[in-house]
Amino acid sequence: MTDVENATDVKNVFVIGLDDANLPTLNAAAGARPLHYHPLLTTGELQDGEVSVPELIDKAQAALDAFDGSIDAIVGYWDFPVSTLVPILAERYGTRSTSLESVVKCEHKYWSRLEQQKVTDRHPRFGRVDLDTDDPQPPENVRFPMWVKPALSYSSELAFGVKDMDEFRDAVRQIREGIARVGRPFEYILDRLELPPEMDGVGGQVCLAEEAMTGLQVAVEGYVHEGEVTVYGVLDSINYPGTSSFQRHQYPSTLPPPVIEQLHDVTERTMRQIGFESATFSVEYFYDPKTQEINLLEINPRHSQSHAELFEYVDGVPNHHSMLGLALGEDPRMPQRAGSYAMAAKWYYRWFTDGVVRSVPSPDDLLGIEYEADGVRVDVTTEEGQALSALSQQDSYSYELAHIFTGGNSEEDLRKKYDQCVAALGLAFDDSPR
């Protein structure tokens, strides 16, 4: 342990699911603060198979109870169950967090829609789908094309865009087969809450349908501190042409200022209605340039770790700064435009057919790629010999091979660096085994 870690003013921050990919940005966000990060539960324990929430709570509490020192903050940046473990553990150990109820109001897509419609009409028509009937039907008020999805899922897993009844029935079949993996553990969380009448009998293994939205996708990031909602960044989300799969997130957004103001307004009203406090969030929207209207897609009640590098490139510090500030009772305000680049992007290098990974770059190869170009970071998400169809937490239509972060002074600059990285990675595949 270093001298800094022995100092009396060191703050012990427990990170649920701490991973190597986020450690550099967490260290950058700490700045001059003497923070010691402690891993709490592994990503495998949190994400593989059907997790047992009670067992995860017991494991986490055993580790925290055995710790000989102050527990100053408990944070996390993954979806369920991490998003719900943070407030549960925070209540037990007296650390700062939003309430469990406010998290679940966001995570449960059906409950979230019920809350949203109390303060805004900027959302699609939606309704529940009965998974128990032999002949499932779309809700009466929801028209094709639509999205059919579980109330809770990982990274758009089991979310299907459907345009007719045949596709609707196929989507319902796949959701029936896979919904329990996340839905069953989520019911344990629901049982801890006093649910309102409109949630009676809904449960965690529920499916809903929503009318498809069109336009440009955008993400709003912010936090709530002492009742005040602050938006610290708006990002454009750009899909691969003709697909629903993200190609890149780009910061800052290029949308007109009046649209940004609408996004701020709806976000503030919605997060107040949810009862969010002392935590960061991300809200996803669609903006239709033809009608100039926005529609709320979903609320993520956890820190958006995947954009940390973008804020560091543009604003000078990773957005982890706000998460840590809130958790430690410090000023969570982000600097603005104090970074080295005018804009930044996170690119998703994807493959749209199954295959087996034949070769991946070594750690030294990745360091060489990053060394060759300023403002570049590469995180390969596959391993040699891996079947792409075996990757976990993928959307229903593609496979993520690598995340490529680029900072630059124009979109052309961002794209040029991305193209150079893809060429240098040299990822290769064999046909999927029969």
Side-chain angles (χ1 to χ4, degrees):
M1 185 173 288
T2 67
D3 291 341
V4 170
E5 290 168 348
N6 279 316
T8 56
D9 60 348
V10 68
K11 299 293 185 182
N12 294 301
V13 180
F14 286 82
V15 185
I16 304 177
L18 178 63
D19 60 326
D20 292 339
N22 275 285
L23 194 54
T25 46
L26 283 167
N27 286 328
R33 290 179 290 190
L35 302 183
H36 186 184
Y37 296 114
H38 303 267
L40 189 61
L41 303 175
T42 67
T43 54
E45 289 174 319
L46 293 160
Q47 298 175 352
D48 292 347
E50 183 176 326
V51 300
S52 168
V53 177
E55 287 182 9
L56 291 175
I57 294 173
D58 288 344
K59 285 182 180 180
Q61 290 182 170
L64 292 167
D65 290 344
F67 180 68
D68 185 18
S70 62
I71 299 171
D72 300 296
I74 301 172
V75 299
Y77 40 70
W78 303 110
D79 291 319
F80 179 83
V82 174
S83 56
T84 53
L85 291 175
V86 171
I88 289 172
L89 295 173
E91 183 178 19
R92 177 180 174 91
Y93 294 95
T95 56
R96 297 172 183 82
S97 168
T98 192
S99 68
L100 178 63
E101 180 176 314
S102 68
V103 169
V104 176
K105 282 182 179 179
C106 300
E107 287 275 27
H108 195 293
K109 291 181 173 62
Y110 182 70
W111 195 1
S112 184
R113 288 299 190 205
L114 297 179
E115 290 297 309
Q116 293 164 31
Q117 68 181 5
K118 295 176 182 178
V119 292
T120 182
D121 60 358
R122 301 302 183 89
H123 56 76
R125 283 189 282 264
F126 68 96
R128 291 169 57 188
V129 176
D130 187 353
L131 295 179
D132 296 326
T133 181
D134 292 334
D135 184 25
Q137 297 291 320
E140 290 185 5
N141 63 322
V142 180
R143 300 169 299 187
F144 291 109
M146 67 181 68
W147 280 87
V148 186
K149 49 192 164 182
L152 187 75
S153 65
Y154 294 131
S155 303
S156 299
E157 185 178 307
L158 294 179
F160 299 94
V162 301
K163 62 180 182 296
D164 55 36
M165 279 302 299
D166 287 342
E167 292 185 354
F168 175 84
R169 292 190 182 99
D170 186 59
V172 170
R173 176 188 60 77
Q174 294 187 62
I175 291 170
R176 276 175 175 160
E177 293 173 356
I179 194 170
R181 186 174 86 86
V182 179
R184 195 152 40 208
F186 195 45
E187 288 177 345
Y188 173 83
I189 298 296
L190 291 174
D191 289 342
R192 298 175 70 104
L193 301 174
E194 185 175 340
L195 300 177
E198 60 264 36
M199 285 293 291
D200 282 349
V202 175
Q205 299 186 62
V206 64
C207 175
L208 71 157
E210 301 178 343
E211 284 190 9
M213 293 173 276
T214 59
L216 308 175
Q217 199 164 341
V218 58
V220 175
E221 288 198 24
Y223 58 80
V224 186
H225 179 50
E226 297 180 350
E228 181 178 348
V229 182
T230 297
V231 171
Y232 60 71
V234 180
L235 305 88
D236 294 330
S237 299
I238 297 127
N239 290 345
Y240 279 85
T243 78
S244 59
S245 299
F246 287 135
Q247 181 196 62
R248 71 185 188 273
H249 299 297
Q250 187 168 304
Y251 176 66
S253 172
T254 58
L255 292 179
V259 178
I260 301 292
E261 290 177 10
Q262 286 187 65
L263 293 168
H264 280 227
D265 175 62
V266 175
T267 299
E268 290 170 12
R269 286 189 279 122
T270 303
M271 298 315 292
R272 286 197 185 97
Q273 173 64 32
I274 294 290
F276 216 70
E277 174 59 55
S278 300
T280 55
F281 62 80
S282 174
V283 186
E284 297 180 36
Y285 292 89
F286 274 91
Y287 165 65
D288 190 335
K290 295 179 181 178
T291 63
Q292 298 187 358
E293 291 187 349
I294 63 170
N295 268 299
L296 198 159
L297 175 59
E298 66 181 18
I299 305 170
N300 298 307
R302 46 95 180 140
H303 183 63
S304 185
Q305 51 85 20
S306 66
H307 300 155
E309 287 86 353
L310 309 190
F311 286 94
E312 184 174 14
Y313 284 151
V314 176
D315 291 333
V317 297
N319 58 354
H320 297 331
H321 172 84
S322 291
M323 175 187 71
L324 293 169
L326 291 162
L328 293 166
E330 301 172 355
D331 187 349
R333 284 180 295 180
M334 287 280 291
Q336 293 287 304
R337 311 302 183 260
S340 302
Y341 303 96
M343 59 180 60
K346 176 185 180 180
W347 302 80
Y348 295 83
Y349 180 27
R350 297 180 184 270
W351 209 250
F352 287 85
T353 58
D354 195 9
V356 177
V357 181
R358 179 158 50 86
S359 65
V360 297
S362 68
D364 286 343
D365 292 334
L366 294 179
L367 288 174
I369 293 171
E370 295 174 354
Y371 179 78
E372 287 296 320
D374 65 297
V376 165
R377 184 187 158 201
V378 183
D379 178 24
V380 175
T381 58
T382 57
E383 299 176 355
E384 188 172 338
Q386 188 170 44
L388 296 181
S389 56
L391 291 170
S392 64
Q393 299 186 47
Q394 304 297 304
D395 69 26
S396 300
Y397 305 102
S398 68
Y399 308 101
E400 294 179 15
L401 308 180
H403 301 151
I404 300 173
F405 303 87
T406 60
N409 293 315
S410 67
E411 284 193 11
E412 181 181 1
D413 194 12
L414 298 178
R415 183 173 290 279
K416 181 179 178 181
K417 290 180 179 180
Y418 169 72
D419 290 340
Q420 290 173 341
C421 287
V422 169
L425 282 173
L427 290 169
F429 310 91
D430 292 325
D431 291 339
S432 176
R434 298 184 183 280

